[in-house]
Amino acid sequence: MASAPLRLNEELVRKAAIVGSAMSRTPPKQIEHWAKIGKILEENPDLTYSFVERILIAKAEMDSGEVVDYDFMDDQQ
């Protein structure tokens, strides 16, 4: 992924450092995370933050192979 230098508000960077520290992210990664969430929510205004968060976690689990096929037939017995 390409990167580009940006001028960011000092307060935003300071808050990203604080929140990022709690979430084990660097300030740039925290700002990327906020931007990603914001973009998803702008494109899907009826979704809640918690729903988007669960979708992103589920996608990360899928991408890392942490999924199990669900057998619908087991429920019918």
PDB file of all heavy atoms in Angstrom, residues 5 13 15 34 64 66:
ATOM      1  N   PRO A   5       2.651  11.646   2.710  1.00  0.00           N
ATOM      2  CA  PRO A   5       2.710  12.508   3.901  1.00  0.00           C
ATOM      3  C   PRO A   5       1.487  13.422   3.951  1.00  0.00           C
ATOM      4  O   PRO A   5       1.029  13.925   2.926  1.00  0.00           O
ATOM      5  CB  PRO A   5       3.998  13.303   3.705  1.00  0.00           C
ATOM      6  CG  PRO A   5       4.294  13.229   2.247  1.00  0.00           C
ATOM      7  CD  PRO A   5       3.670  11.971   1.738  1.00  0.00           C
ATOM      8  N   VAL A  13      -3.807  13.797  16.195  1.00  0.00           N
ATOM      9  CA  VAL A  13      -2.646  12.918  16.353  1.00  0.00           C
ATOM     10  C   VAL A  13      -2.454  12.558  17.821  1.00  0.00           C
ATOM     11  O   VAL A  13      -2.174  11.401  18.163  1.00  0.00           O
ATOM     12  CB  VAL A  13      -1.374  13.562  15.759  1.00  0.00           C
ATOM     13  CG1 VAL A  13      -0.148  12.710  16.037  1.00  0.00           C
ATOM     14  CG2 VAL A  13      -1.549  13.797  14.260  1.00  0.00           C
ATOM     15  N   LYS A  15      -4.788  12.442  20.204  1.00  0.00           N
ATOM     16  CA  LYS A  15      -5.846  11.499  20.596  1.00  0.00           C
ATOM     17  C   LYS A  15      -5.605  10.121  19.981  1.00  0.00           C
ATOM     18  O   LYS A  15      -5.869   9.099  20.612  1.00  0.00           O
ATOM     19  CB  LYS A  15      -7.217  12.040  20.212  1.00  0.00           C
ATOM     20  CG  LYS A  15      -7.635  13.190  21.097  1.00  0.00           C
ATOM     21  CD  LYS A  15      -9.032  13.655  20.814  1.00  0.00           C
ATOM     22  CE  LYS A  15      -9.373  14.774  21.782  1.00  0.00           C
ATOM     23  NZ  LYS A  15     -10.724  15.263  21.633  1.00  0.00           N
ATOM     24  N   TRP A  34      -9.698   4.704  12.136  1.00  0.00           N
ATOM     25  CA  TRP A  34     -10.813   5.653  12.203  1.00  0.00           C
ATOM     26  C   TRP A  34     -11.312   6.022  10.814  1.00  0.00           C
ATOM     27  O   TRP A  34     -12.519   6.124  10.577  1.00  0.00           O
ATOM     28  CB  TRP A  34     -10.392   6.909  12.952  1.00  0.00           C
ATOM     29  CG  TRP A  34     -10.302   6.755  14.446  1.00  0.00           C
ATOM     30  CD1 TRP A  34     -10.910   5.802  15.222  1.00  0.00           C
ATOM     31  CD2 TRP A  34      -9.564   7.575  15.333  1.00  0.00           C
ATOM     32  NE1 TRP A  34     -10.589   6.001  16.546  1.00  0.00           N
ATOM     33  CE2 TRP A  34      -9.763   7.080  16.636  1.00  0.00           C
ATOM     34  CE3 TRP A  34      -8.748   8.685  15.162  1.00  0.00           C
ATOM     35  CZ2 TRP A  34      -9.193   7.666  17.763  1.00  0.00           C
ATOM     36  CZ3 TRP A  34      -8.175   9.267  16.276  1.00  0.00           C
ATOM     37  CH2 TRP A  34      -8.393   8.762  17.562  1.00  0.00           C
ATOM     38  N   SER A  64      -8.000 -15.141   8.221  1.00  0.00           N
ATOM     39  CA  SER A  64      -6.935 -15.884   8.909  1.00  0.00           C
ATOM     40  C   SER A  64      -7.250 -17.371   9.030  1.00  0.00           C
ATOM     41  O   SER A  64      -6.509 -18.120   9.660  1.00  0.00           O
ATOM     42  CB  SER A  64      -6.695 -15.287  10.295  1.00  0.00           C
ATOM     43  OG  SER A  64      -7.807 -15.525  11.121  1.00  0.00           O
ATOM     44  N   GLU A  66      -9.837 -18.760  10.568  1.00  0.00           N
ATOM     45  CA  GLU A  66     -10.500 -19.092  11.827  1.00  0.00           C
ATOM     46  C   GLU A  66     -12.014 -19.242  11.627  1.00  0.00           C
ATOM     47  O   GLU A  66     -12.793 -18.598  12.317  1.00  0.00           O
ATOM     48  CB  GLU A  66     -10.224 -17.996  12.870  1.00  0.00           C
ATOM     49  CG  GLU A  66      -8.812 -17.957  13.362  1.00  0.00           C
ATOM     50  CD  GLU A  66      -8.464 -19.163  14.220  1.00  0.00           C
ATOM     51  OE1 GLU A  66      -9.293 -19.578  15.040  1.00  0.00           O
ATOM     52  OE2 GLU A  66      -7.352 -19.688  14.045  1.00  0.00           O
TER      53      GLU A  66
END
